[in-house]
Amino acid sequence: MRIICFCLLTALVSCVTPDSSGEDHPGIYYWKTTWELNPERQAELRAAGTRQLFVRFFDVDWNFNQGQAQPKGILQLPDSLVVDETLAITPVVYVVERVFRQPVDAEELAQRIGRTIEGMSAGHAALRAATRWQIDCDWTPTSRDRYFAFLRALQTQFPDKVINVTIRLHQYREREDNGVPPVSEGLLMCYNMEPVGEPETQNAIYREDLLRGYLKAPPYPIPLDAALPVFAWGAAFRDDLFLGVVSPPAASPGFLDPVGGNRFLVLKDTTLLETFVRPGDDVRYDGANTAALLTAAGLLRDRNEIRDLILFDWRMDVLENWPLAEVWTAFY
């Protein structure tokens, strides 16, 4: 097998690591390829109650031409980067599931990913000393064995790190087929519940009835945090043909007319997030409003295995459009 080449990047980052003192650690994901959280924006997050940042460092996908796993979308960090010392940072790596359907060497992949995280963390002692890394992967019964072997290898090679994994709702409930990851903790993703491109989907991002159904499962064998969505989008259709994801629709006289529930009718030719729509097209709003988020926070609070509530994800307008502090108060 060819050697997997990962770039090692250097970043100046400051952080602290959540401890096991029983204190609350509300957090938010940062899921971008460039760093936009300047000190002023960090201060706003801190004032809203944020104590943790789950920062996507890079993705890993399979390059079929080269027959190897490769990093992509590496987070570009400026040399002058400064992070509030009161915010704990957890590096996150998203591994596309198909990587583990290939003849990947679990030991080598673990080594390359771990070294790349360390390389990106180099230059700042606090980040190098962080005790937790998160691996995000939507594994299946087909890819489970290779994925779990990778997790074991990562933990063995980096024994000073707590390896945390994301767990989708179907994985949380269907444990016999999916298995339970061989790690000490995880994070339950309570969003992206239905296919976005299906016209019969009611709300691709969040549905309370589906969450309630999944949470009927017995407590998970490992401690979990949970994540709720503070994002939304529109799904545009023409005669049940999916046109694409567009900006979240809202009533707009002359352009979009509400037709009941979370559906809007296009009245005039326009472009929404580079997708052209015309009169008669249908746009569905996907997302959770404040009331839904507060209810979800209460449902998760009642699960004994869930420790902290993390929100997905930060954008410049997130504090303007989403009540972060109110949602966290409903959980803690």
Side-chain angles (χ1 to χ4, degrees), residues 185-324:
E185 62 176 52
L187 180 140
L188 182 63
M189 296 172 52
C190 302
Y191 54 90
N192 292 352
M193 297 184 180
E194 295 186 279
V196 64
E198 298 296 330
E200 62 270 19
T201 288
Q202 296 181 34
N203 189 320
I205 293 176
Y206 179 80
R207 282 178 52 186
E208 180 184 323
D209 60 327
L210 293 182
L211 179 61
R212 287 182 179 274
Y214 283 115
L215 292 180
K216 291 179 181 179
Y220 207 65
I222 59 175
L224 299 175
D225 298 324
L228 287 174
V230 286
F231 67 94
W233 62 49
F237 295 87
R238 180 175 301 146
D239 297 327
D240 289 343
L241 174 67
F242 180 56
L243 301 178
V245 172
V246 301
S247 52
S252 178
F255 286 93
L256 290 175
D257 187 26
V259 292
N262 58 339
R263 301 276 179 163
F264 295 80
L265 181 68
V266 177
L267 303 177
K268 188 175 182 179
D269 289 352
T270 189
T271 299
L272 302 173
L273 274 187
E274 302 182 355
T275 296
F276 175 74
V277 293
R278 64 191 187 195
D281 290 348
D282 174 52
V283 182
R284 183 188 70 229
Y285 176 93
D286 289 338
N289 59 26
T290 297
L293 289 172
L294 295 178
T295 299
L299 293 174
L300 294 170
R301 181 189 59 218
D302 294 336
R303 301 293 295 190
N304 291 333
E305 77 267 40
I306 296 178
R307 308 167 304 179
D308 284 311
L309 182 61
I310 315 302
L311 303 177
F312 188 95
D313 65 322
W314 182 88
R315 296 169 313 285
M316 289 188 183
D317 63 350
V318 70
L319 289 170
E320 299 173 10
N321 297 323
W322 304 94
L324 308 190

Side-chain angles (χ1 to χ4, degrees), residues 43-91:
E44 293 172 351
L45 280 177
R46 190 69 173 80
T50 311
R51 299 297 181 268
Q52 299 189 68
L53 294 176
F54 283 69
V55 180
R56 188 201 69 88
F57 272 32
F58 56 92
D59 301 342
V60 178
D61 200 357
W62 189 261
N63 185 316
F64 287 92
N65 291 328
Q66 298 184 17
Q68 63 179 3
Q70 290 186 335
K72 57 190 297 186
I74 298 173
L75 175 63
Q76 302 300 307
L77 298 170
D79 293 339
S80 59
L81 178 65
V82 176
V83 176
D84 189 315
E85 62 181 9
T86 65
L87 293 173
I89 293 183
T90 296

